[in-house]
Amino acid sequence: MKTRRNGVTGMVMAAVLCAGMAARAAADVKSGPDMMVRIGGVAPSRSEDWDGAGQVEAQFRFWQDERFAVALSVGSATWQARDEYQESEDAYGFVATSVSGDTALIPVGASLLYRVPVSPYVCWILEGGVRYVFVDSGITATVDYIDASGAYYTEETIESDNFMQGVVGLSLEGSIAEPLRLVGSVGYQFDLTRPMETFGGEDLGETSFN
């Protein structure tokens, strides 16, 4: 049984298509607050562990001038584990194991933004930030073992610690009708700390949700 969900061991690309709403049209924004909501998906690099992930994030942006902003973010993501089933048998007995389920993540954090105007209505936005990610695991592992002394069955949730994550991104933002702006984004997310996993009280080591 592969109870240790390795997730993504390196950086992965999160392709995100976004829709945003701001206080003013892009041509008029020099400073002040606005808000953006984006919905998209994450493409895990280790597809043997994860089928994929979907996410939504609300970002509250405070523009200091026409170039720089500080943003506060809160989001929600669901990572779907790839179902696994394995059987093995030797002179001592038979064992069957399975892993299935998904994990809910709630990232909360802040970013620095840099805006590069392309025209009065279109701009590029560069982002770099940090997220603290709360983890609610719904991944279940089962073990069915039969030997000369009898049959045993165990079903437990694979628990995971909260962790820190870094994000970098690039967005193209354009005004479509005041106060709405359409946003297309692409980005990377990577571990700053690795969460630890446990199964039935046993330490499984580090994992990743990137």
Side-chain angles (χ1 to χ4, degrees):
M1 177 183 60
K2 186 167 59 174
T3 57
R4 184 177 187 271
R5 305 298 301 181
N6 291 317
V8 176
T9 57
M11 287 187 178
V12 299
M13 184 172 68
V16 186
L17 293 178
C18 316
M21 178 175 290
R24 288 166 287 181
D28 299 327
V29 172
K30 299 299 182 183
S31 63
D34 65 13
M35 176 183 174
M36 180 176 67
V37 177
R38 51 189 176 191
I39 302 172
V42 180
S45 65
R46 295 183 64 90
S47 58
E48 69 271 24
D49 287 334
W50 304 100
D51 279 332
Q55 63 182 22
V56 59
E57 182 181 60
Q59 192 171 77
F60 303 90
R61 308 184 299 186
F62 302 90
W63 293 99
Q64 308 305 303
D65 53 35
E66 62 182 8
R67 295 283 186 174
F68 293 96
V70 176
L72 302 179
S73 300
V74 61
S76 177
T78 300
W79 284 70
Q80 180 65 47
R82 184 174 292 278
D83 292 344
E84 299 174 4
Y85 179 79
Q86 297 181 5
E87 294 181 351
S88 63
E89 187 173 5
D90 56 24
Y92 299 99
F94 169 83
V95 61
T97 63
S98 66
V99 176
S100 63
D102 56 42
T103 294
L105 306 181
I106 301 178
V108 179
S111 296
L112 293 177
L113 308 179
Y114 181 72
R115 181 165 52 193
V116 181
V118 177
S119 76
Y121 300 98
V122 178
C123 64
W124 292 101
I125 297 178
L126 304 174
E127 177 180 0
V130 177
R131 306 288 187 267
Y132 184 82
V133 184
F134 297 92
V135 180
D136 182 14
S137 177
I139 298 177
T140 301
T142 64
V143 180
D144 195 357
Y145 183 71
I146 302 174
D147 61 12
S149 61
Y152 308 90
Y153 178 81
T154 299
E155 180 176 333
E156 296 280 353
T157 298
I158 300 177
E159 301 291 350
S160 179
D161 293 338
N162 302 333
F163 64 100
M164 295 288 293
Q165 189 176 72
V167 297
V168 293
L170 175 65
S171 300
L172 182 63
E173 183 171 315
S175 177
I176 53 176
E178 188 176 356
L180 297 178
R181 299 204 294 273
L182 185 65
V183 182
S185 300
V186 63
Y188 293 93
Q189 56 190 41
F190 53 93
D191 293 322
L192 296 176
T193 63
R194 288 288 185 91
M196 300 293 294
E197 285 187 328
T198 57
F199 171 73
E202 178 186 354
D203 186 1
L204 302 180
E206 295 180 340
T207 188
S208 175
F209 288 96
N210 298 309

